[in-house]
Amino acid sequence: MKKQTTGDPRIAQDIALMRPVRASRLGSPGHPSEICIVGVGTTGARLLDTLMHEDAKRGTTFLRAAVMGGPTPAGVTGNTWELLPNEPLVESFADAVLVLIVCCAHEAPALRASAVVANAARQAHAMIIGLLVPAPALPVHRSMVKQAFAGSADALVALPPAPQPALLQGLIDVFWRLAKVDPPHRASRNGQTGGDLLDVCTVFARSAHLSITSASAMGPKRARQAAARAIADLGMASLADTTGVLVLIAGPPSMRLGEIHDVTVVIRDSIANRAEMVLGLFYSAQYGDTLRVAVLAGFET
């Protein structure tokens, strides 16, 4: 079994990284994708199977990371998966723009292995999002997951114990709206790296379906313009009926607190009073002078 090691003294485990054997539509081998989803440990492997079924049409790269010496996730042996070539772990993410790491928030070995994966993806200058699933009846331990991903993740998202495929797909799509920059420009991110958790457990608890919108703007009024364009794209009547929204704001290091306030005011004035709003911030030089707003909105019907 191929081992991926790290020099980080916090990491005691090696990991085995695997890819689908038949991957003509899954991004690898031979078809590198700008979106890479890594399932770590038993929980990550289970959700990865769901995402592969839902997302195969996009051409996403799917990888499984098994903790050496830990339990073997179902389905990682036999003819379905194969070990990656013996190369530096960072090479697995050379073409990735967005890397999502799915793992259980209460499996310490999986969290440590996720940090190895996240650090490698960061060296490739990808946007890294940790999708954290709690064990049943247990809340996500904020300090533990923030310590595990410290300095290596652009955002950490707390999911329900049994997240629906639509929620997982919606999160992939909304973060892709932020990560994709045209023309492509690789730049280190210096924003909320390993920042506060974006807890979407309650914000989408009553949502029967999700809608996504995004917009960008430049200039002195870029914040309000980007927010207004995003709302217009979704439809004012629809946003007024939302049960909850995840609002992501991305911009250059020069993005000001006043601009963040402007975006939240525009969005808050457009949604129902009872709707919950979760806010995530991202800073990177790759955005130039552009401010980008992406919204994931949930609806009961």
Side-chain angles (χ1 to χ4, degrees):
M1 203 177 238
K2 175 202 173 186
K3 297 181 179 180
Q4 298 285 3
T5 60
T6 175
D8 190 335
R10 295 174 303 165
I11 309 301
Q13 281 79 12
D14 293 339
I15 62 174
L17 203 61
M18 292 161 280
R19 65 186 176 191
V21 173
R22 293 183 176 86
S24 60
R25 292 193 302 160
L26 300 179
S28 74
H31 296 77
S33 171
E34 294 179 315
I35 303 176
C36 180
I37 306 175
V38 185
V40 183
T42 54
T43 300
R46 173 174 54 82
L47 292 178
L48 198 65
D49 286 337
T50 300
L51 287 169
M52 287 177 65
H53 176 74
E54 296 288 332
D55 196 65
K57 64 182 183 296
R58 189 205 301 271
T60 299
T61 295
F62 294 94
L63 301 174
R64 272 178 169 168
V67 180
M68 301 291 287
T72 301
V76 301
T77 58
N79 296 323
T80 305
W81 297 83
E82 65 182 0
L83 295 174
L84 287 180
N86 189 17
E87 61 187 14
L89 186 57
V90 65
E91 296 298 326
S92 302
F93 307 106
D95 298 292
V97 174
L98 173 65
V99 176
L100 300 107
I101 303 170
V102 189
C103 72
C104 178
H106 296 95
E107 293 179 8
L111 285 174
R112 290 192 291 267
S114 295
V116 177
V117 174
N119 282 321
R122 178 154 296 282
Q123 292 179 49
H125 301 298
M127 174 181 279
I128 301 107
I129 308 299
L131 302 180
L132 304 165
V133 182
L138 290 176
V140 172
H141 197 294
R142 289 177 177 266
S143 61
M144 182 171 70
V145 298
K146 287 174 67 176
Q147 182 180 7
F149 282 91
S152 60
D154 293 283
L156 301 173
V157 182
L159 299 173
Q164 295 298 314
L167 176 57
L168 295 171
Q169 196 64 57
L171 290 169
I172 295 169
D173 289 340
V174 76
F175 281 112
W176 176 240
R177 299 280 185 108
L178 291 190
K180 182 65 174 176
V181 177
D182 190 24
H185 175 61
R186 297 269 179 158
S188 298
R189 293 171 173 81
N190 58 348
Q192 278 188 280
T193 304
D196 290 339
L197 256 67
L198 305 178
D199 191 339
V200 300
C201 294
T202 58
V203 69
F204 297 124
R206 296 182 292 116
S207 300
H209 75 275
L210 302 169
S211 295
I212 300 169
T213 181
S214 64
S216 300
M218 301 175 65
K221 298 181 179 180
R222 61 186 182 180
R224 287 187 173 273
Q225 290 174 348
R229 290 171 185 171
I231 293 170
D233 180 63
L234 187 63
M236 181 67 74
S238 297
L239 198 57
D241 296 329
T242 184
T243 57
V245 293
L246 171 63
V247 180
L248 305 177
I249 307 173
S254 62
M255 185 169 63
R256 303 183 303 276
L257 288 176
E259 293 180 306
I260 296 168
H261 173 75
D262 287 346
V263 172
T264 58
V265 168
V266 172
I267 300 294
R268 173 53 69 184
D269 288 347
S270 303
I271 64 178
N273 290 333
R274 62 191 176 92
E276 183 178 351
M277 182 168 68
V278 175
L279 176 66
L281 306 175
F282 303 85
Y283 298 86
S284 176
Q286 71 169 350
Y287 296 109
D289 294 325
T290 299
L291 187 145
R292 183 173 300 182
V293 175
V295 179
L296 179 63
F299 302 90
E300 288 184 325
T301 57

